[in-house]
Amino acid sequence: MHEASQEQLSFAAALLDSLPQAALLLDHELRIIRANRRLAALLRLPAGLDLSPGTPRERIVGHLAGMLARPEERSRLLEESETHGPVTRTTDYHLRDGRVLRRRRAPVGDGDRPRAHLWLVEDVTRQHEAEDGLYGQVRKLAALADERAAFAGRTLHELRTPLATVLSFAELLLDPVSGPLNPEQTSYVAAIRRNALRMRSVAEDLPRAAVGGPRAEPRLGEVLVDELIERVVLEALQRAEGGGPYIAADCPPGGPPLVADAGLLTGALEELLGNALRFTPEDGRVEVVGRPAADHWTIQVKDTGIGIPLEYHEEIFTPFVRAPNARREGFPGTGLGLAGALDAVRLHGGTITVRDREGRPGAVFTVRLPLPGRRTVGAARP
């Protein structure tokens, strides 16, 4: 060989050995110019394998083909090795020993006829394992989403008929043609009808909640907060029939009205109060406190129950998520109530937060609802 060629070979050897990947340099006729030490170690080349300059590439290609576990990859390797064009290609190969190697072929030089071709080979086994694990988790999440959607559809189907019956009989009882009711009876039937309507709305919203779809726009009107709190607390007392925790309401009469969907806000407050009662012992206490401010109303639901772990103060508002102490102690629930309450409050431009009772047992849920003209951008408007 000429002295210039020797210098080029020495430079190529030094350059390839400095690369962090296993490397092989082929000339324009696809003969070996140089393979670095990392390639020999990565492909576990036999000690006596001749890779001197000018050696045909088949020696390395044949050795690599014999290591492959998948016949289709072996065929592709042999086929692609017949020619090397001016295009860079990256291919992954699965070996019999469980490793995954990634080969990147790149032309050296400009034009349609490169002066040489460079192979860069690296072990990507761990990357493939991580990707497989990620894909497995995605498949599990997709299956879980399908199960939730199916559950929501079945629930809606099962609730439609009994709710329609309850509503029909409630409306018949409220019809003067069916006979007079005293004021107390009228309030009971009205509460039945109102809660059945809310339950129907929740049931019809289940499929959307299961897949995270959009919710219907709220039906806005004037809502007096003191009457809202009084109604929700009285109905909770009627359901309790003298049992359960002590329930108290504290809200000044009057105050600026909200412009809101009364049904949605009633449902949200009932969910928060019901949640507090569910996790508070019978000798405990639950309070609903409402206070107006210059630009908003604050409604707090305070309880002396089991409390919520700090790391779950945000998670519990996610559909189907329940705090571990609630699951561990066997309290019933689906994990949908607080998520629905948050949705309803957000539709009105409001927020819900939760905190501990500062060293005492229990939790405090705080709802902040803006007054008309103070809504945040994107909130529902009348």
Side-chain angles (χ1 to χ4, degrees):
M1 283 190 178
H2 299 296
E3 185 176 350
S5 297
Q6 290 289 0
E7 289 179 359
Q8 290 173 353
L9 289 174
S10 299
F11 177 75
L15 179 63
L16 294 185
D17 284 339
S18 69
L19 293 175
Q21 304 101 330
L24 172 68
L25 186 63
L26 304 173
D27 64 18
H28 67 282
E29 295 181 356
L30 303 183
R31 295 173 301 190
I32 294 174
I33 296 177
R34 175 73 183 186
N36 68 0
R37 291 188 295 269
R38 290 185 177 85
L39 183 75
L42 187 63
L43 298 186
R44 299 173 184 172
L45 299 177
L49 186 66
D50 182 13
L51 298 180
S52 58
T55 302
R57 81 227 176 253
E58 283 83 3
R59 293 190 179 176
I60 284 186
V61 172
H63 177 78
L64 178 57
M67 299 174 68
L68 300 184
R70 301 179 179 181
E72 65 275 13
E73 291 183 359
R74 191 178 308 117
S75 299
R76 186 169 71 247
L77 171 66
L78 296 174
E79 181 181 346
E80 290 178 351
S81 298
E82 293 298 322
T83 178
H84 281 47
V87 179
T88 298
R89 296 182 182 275
T90 301
T91 311
D92 289 353
Y93 297 102
H94 294 76
L95 275 55
R96 297 180 186 275
D97 61 9
R99 292 181 296 158
V100 181
L101 300 184
R102 176 167 294 165
R103 183 189 65 161
R104 183 174 184 268
R105 299 179 339 187
V108 178
D110 299 327
D112 294 335
R113 293 180 58 83
R115 298 176 58 186
H117 302 275
L118 178 65
W119 286 19
L120 295 176
V121 187
E122 57 183 330
D123 189 332
V124 293
T125 306
R126 290 187 177 180
Q127 181 177 337
H128 267 254
E129 290 173 350
E131 290 174 353
D132 289 343
L134 178 61
Y135 293 147
Q137 292 299 321
V138 170
R139 287 192 293 270
K140 288 180 180 179
L141 288 174
L144 180 59
D146 290 342
E147 290 177 6
R148 288 179 175 178
F151 163 76
R154 289 194 302 270
T155 303
L156 175 58
H157 176 76
E158 294 296 330
L159 288 177
R160 268 179 174 156
T161 299
L163 285 174
T165 303
V166 171
L167 283 169
S168 297
F169 281 113
E171 288 168 358
L172 283 173
L173 289 171
L174 290 172
D175 191 335
V177 177
S178 301
L181 298 175
N182 62 44
E184 187 176 15
Q185 291 171 331
T186 300
S187 68
Y188 291 163
V189 177
I192 291 171
R193 181 179 180 276
R194 184 170 56 252
N195 281 281
L197 285 171
R198 187 174 69 82
M199 183 61 69
R200 185 177 68 181
S201 176
V202 171
E204 290 174 346
D205 202 44
L206 272 175
R208 179 218 60 88
V211 298
R215 184 168 187 164
E217 287 293 318
R219 299 176 179 178
L220 300 177
E222 191 173 274
V223 177
L224 299 177
V225 176
D226 60 320
E227 293 183 1
L228 169 68
I229 291 175
E230 180 182 8
R231 182 173 63 250
V232 170
V233 169
L234 285 177
E235 290 185 6
L237 288 170
Q238 290 169 356
R239 288 191 296 270
E241 296 180 344
Y246 178 82
I247 309 175
D250 179 8
C251 183
L258 293 170
V259 175
D261 186 315
L264 288 178
L265 284 191
T266 299
L269 189 53
E270 286 179 346
E271 290 292 354
L272 293 174
L273 180 55
N275 182 78
L277 293 171
R278 188 179 308 120
F279 298 111
T280 302
E282 290 192 359
D283 59 350
R285 179 184 178 91
V286 176
E287 298 176 78
V288 183
V289 179
R291 291 290 184 269
D295 60 352
H296 68 276
W297 269 93
T298 297
I299 303 175
Q300 289 188 320
V301 179
K302 308 176 182 181
D303 66 66
T304 58
I306 64 173
I308 301 166
L310 179 61
E311 62 272 21
Y312 275 80
H313 280 191
E314 294 184 8
E315 296 291 330
I316 56 170
F317 294 104
T318 303
F320 302 101
V321 172
R322 304 181 67 219
N325 54 341
R327 298 195 306 268
R328 184 173 56 250
E329 298 182 30
F331 288 96
T334 62
L336 288 173
L338 294 179
L342 178 61
D343 277 352
V345 170
R346 280 181 172 173
L347 279 172
H348 295 85
T351 60
I352 299 182
T353 56
V354 62
R355 61 175 174 83
D356 295 329
R357 289 178 61 94
E358 300 175 353
R360 292 179 293 170
V364 179
F365 285 82
T366 301
V367 178
R368 181 186 171 106
L369 292 165
L371 289 169
R374 307 295 207 284
R375 295 185 183 279
T376 57
V377 175
R381 295 183 180 274

